Amino acid sequence: MTYKTSLLSALALCIGTGAAQAQDQQSMAFVVNAASDFWKLAEAGVNAAQAEMPEYNMRFRYPATGTAAAQNQLMDDLVAAGTDAIMISSADPKNSIDAFNRIAAQVPLFTTDSDAPQSDRVAYLGSSNTAAGIQAGEIAVAALPDGGTCMGFVGFLGADNAVERIAGFREAVEGSGVELIDVRGDDVDFARARSNVDDVLSANPDVNCMVGFYSYNPPKIYEALQAAGKLGEVTVIGFDEDPITLGAVREGYFAGTVVQDPYQWGYQGMQLMASYLNGDTSSVPEDGLIIVPTNVIDAANVDAFEAQLRERLGG
């Protein structure tokens, strides 16, 4: 065998081995419910996990639209492409049980953000949305000692995360004189989210408290109040850490916001799925719930919280 032939054979062997290793690399996907800046932190968490575990292929995926149908199609595509495990924040868990069970019969399926406990998912990793709702209600009670009339705004009215946050809020304000009279849904349509607030300002002048239950709702409340010249006249309680929300908390226009930890959902979610794929189920509790705590951000701690966000996002 000549040197040239030997070199070519060695090169072919290396290429073949590399291809085999790539083919054997286990793949995991994190699927969100809609395009939103909220998910940038979860993506950063996935990227951090990927850097620590390069032997896996980790994907972060947005559906084409914020609908259950689009999510289910995306999961089907991921499974067909060889994905070994999926974590998803469902847009409509109650109406996705059959689709989830179909996926769960093929690969381990985990949920985050919005659970689907009636499905065959392995576990839920995320916030206790009821506890987060209670925290939001406690902000309202402290900010409105004489009581108040609140209107809520949310994306998917039927999603578990929305239902539980609203229930938690109502539990916390019961008997305080603060009342959540209604919640307006927008199906993650940002224009509709804004118009919902505008409509309430026109039709419900008695409302002196607003609650934004999804990450983009508080900024839309801010925009509408600013346009109406009513910033500071309506008590606002937010969810999550949109820059507009945090700025309003700092300026005193919002009483506070309840923040989740989507960075850890992404980071811990990848670790959880990797362990599960390797046969280690010790991280899955008997009740299937892995709770990442939520926190209240107000004027006293907003600067420190923003510094942590910048560090996680690499800026």
Side-chain angles (χ1 to χ4, degrees):
M1 180 182 292
T2 66
Y3 173 77
K4 181 177 180 181
T5 302
S6 177
L7 182 62
L8 289 173
S9 298
L11 181 61
L13 179 61
C14 290
I15 292 172
T17 301
Q21 289 175 338
Q23 189 173 16
D24 292 340
Q25 188 180 46
Q26 290 180 306
S27 177
M28 302 174 291
F30 192 109
V31 177
V32 305
N33 54 11
S36 169
D37 286 347
F38 170 78
W39 290 111
K40 288 181 179 178
L41 279 166
E43 187 170 9
V46 170
N47 291 340
Q50 178 71 87
E52 293 181 10
M53 298 186 288
E55 67 273 22
Y56 295 93
N57 178 22
M58 302 179 188
R59 307 175 183 180
F60 193 89
R61 292 290 182 265
Y62 292 89
T65 60
T67 64
Q71 283 189 309
N72 297 338
Q73 181 61 58
L74 177 54
M75 286 196 295
D76 284 335
D77 293 344
L78 286 166
V79 171
T83 301
D84 295 290
I86 295 173
M87 178 167 281
I88 184 170
S89 169
S90 178
D92 187 4
K94 287 184 174 61
N95 293 312
S96 300
I97 301 301
D98 289 343
F100 277 25
N101 289 347
R102 185 181 71 251
I103 296 298
Q106 301 172 78
V107 300
L109 179 67
F110 298 78
T111 55
T112 187
D113 184 40
S114 184
D115 195 12
Q118 303 306 315
S119 73
D120 294 333
R121 59 96 169 116
V122 176
Y124 165 81
L125 187 151
S127 305
S128 166
N129 287 294
T130 300
I134 290 171
Q135 288 175 309
E138 290 171 346
I139 297 172
V141 171
L144 296 162
D146 298 324
T149 302
C150 300
M151 182 68 74
F153 304 92
V154 75
F156 301 114
L157 281 166
D160 278 10
N161 58 356
V163 171
E164 292 169 5
R165 290 176 198 179
I166 293 164
F169 185 93
R170 287 192 161 125
E171 177 184 335
V173 303
E174 186 175 3
S176 69
V178 175
E179 182 184 6
L180 182 65
I181 60 171
D182 198 7
V183 181
R184 305 289 169 85
D186 55 58
D187 296 324
V188 196
D189 180 328
F190 292 173
R192 186 174 160 197
R194 166 62 191 273
S195 66
N196 280 347
V197 184
D198 291 331
D199 292 347
V200 169
L201 288 173
S202 298
N204 302 84
D206 56 320
V207 167
N208 64 346
C209 162
M210 294 184 173
V211 188
F213 285 102
Y214 273 15
S215 63
Y216 59 86
N217 291 123
K220 295 305 176 185
I221 293 171
Y222 183 94
E223 290 175 9
L225 291 175
Q226 185 179 50
K230 293 187 177 182
L231 276 175
E233 296 179 16
V234 176
T235 297
V236 181
I237 297 93
F239 270 78
D240 302 318
E241 62 285 325
D242 187 278
I244 293 175
T245 300
L246 296 179
V249 169
R250 178 181 295 103
E251 294 161 1
Y253 293 129
F254 284 10
T257 186
V258 179
V259 297
Q260 304 177 88
D261 201 345
Y263 179 92
Q264 290 297 336
W265 302 351
Y267 181 74
Q268 293 184 31
M270 291 298 121
Q271 292 182 320
L272 175 66
M273 288 192 287
S275 295
Y276 193 86
L277 288 172
N278 284 324
D280 181 1
T281 62
S282 61
S283 297
V284 179
E286 188 173 340
D287 64 2
L289 301 176
I290 303 168
I291 301 302
V292 180
T294 52
N295 293 291
V296 172
I297 303 302
D298 56 22
N301 61 1
V302 65
D303 290 335
F305 178 71
E306 282 198 300
Q308 181 191 65
L309 287 182
R310 287 192 295 269
E311 181 181 354
R312 285 180 166 182
L313 292 170

